Amino acid sequence: MVVDFKELPSSSRVWVFQANRGFSEDELNEIKPKINDFLEQWTVHGQSLQAGYEIRYNRFIVLGLDESQANASGCSIDASVHFIQSLEKEYNVDLLDKMNVSFKNGEFVAYKQLIDFKKMVKQKAVSPTTIVFNNLVNTKSEYEEFWEVPMTESWHSRLL
């Protein structure tokens, strides 16, 4: 069952998929119904899952699952990965590579391979206060509080 992401409890599990580029408005108009359709059919052992999503900065697809209703299983997680892979193929975009970094550059969201971001840190092109996106958050409350944070408050701090 699809619910508004905002209505999911703070304990809901989340998965953040960052795109290596922003989606166009036309692409978003196509992608949103596809995500709705996937979530409507997303099940665990035949039981519907209560899930929602949001798309941030035209670049991040965030899936949320109320696990108080039913926990995600290996099969249901695999189904979500297969769905994301289908979006990757259809829109020629990378959503699953975790070795890349997204960060704010002024009002824009920049995307760099980890090796290039490390170089930027060494060259002081980014600072400890640079806002980064910590896509390793696990729950909705972590997502709301610790997803978009200064580099010093994320795993990115080990690069300093």
Side-chain angles (χ1 to χ4, degrees):
M1 169 188 355
V2 180
V3 297
D4 186 323
F5 187 86
K6 292 177 180 108
E7 302 301 315
L8 289 170
S10 60
S11 60
S12 296
R13 190 165 175 188
V14 296
W15 294 268
V16 179
F17 303 97
Q18 78 179 354
N20 61 331
R21 63 171 178 80
F23 291 108
S24 71
E25 287 303 316
D26 287 342
E27 288 174 323
L28 289 171
N29 289 334
E30 292 175 11
I31 290 170
K32 289 175 183 178
K34 291 176 185 193
I35 296 172
N36 266 318
D37 290 346
F38 168 74
L39 294 180
E40 198 63 52
Q41 298 171 24
W42 200 19
T43 62
V44 59
H45 306 297
Q47 182 180 357
S48 290
L49 294 172
Q50 190 168 4
Y53 77 94
E54 68 178 8
I55 297 175
R56 300 281 300 271
Y57 300 105
N58 293 347
R59 178 180 290 262
F60 299 92
I61 298 173
V62 183
L63 301 182
L65 173 63
D66 180 358
E67 288 195 307
S68 69
Q69 305 294 314
N71 288 336
S73 69
C75 292
S76 59
I77 293 169
D78 284 350
S80 68
V81 170
H82 290 301
F83 170 70
I84 294 297
Q85 287 172 327
S86 73
L87 293 178
E88 285 184 317
K89 288 178 187 163
E90 185 169 355
Y91 295 96
N92 193 28
V93 66
D94 184 2
L95 291 162
L96 292 169
D97 189 345
K98 301 293 186 195
M99 295 305 295
N100 297 308
V101 177
S102 289
F103 60 99
K104 282 196 171 174
N105 187 2
E107 62 185 72
F108 299 100
V109 174
Y111 177 91
K112 294 286 183 189
Q113 290 184 344
L114 183 58
I115 194 162
D116 293 330
F117 188 76
K118 285 180 182 180
K119 289 177 189 172
M120 291 179 73
V121 170
K122 282 186 181 180
Q123 297 166 349
K124 307 252 188 259
V126 293
S127 75
T129 59
T130 297
I131 301 298
V132 294
F133 296 92
N134 177 11
N135 299 321
L136 301 179
V137 294
N138 291 308
T139 64
K140 184 180 172 196
S141 65
E142 286 179 9
Y143 168 69
E144 291 172 339
E145 294 180 41
F146 304 113
W147 175 63
E148 193 173 334
V149 294
M151 194 158 77
T152 55
E153 296 178 26
S154 174
W155 68 265
H156 302 84
S157 65
R158 70 177 187 226
L159 305 174
L160 293 170

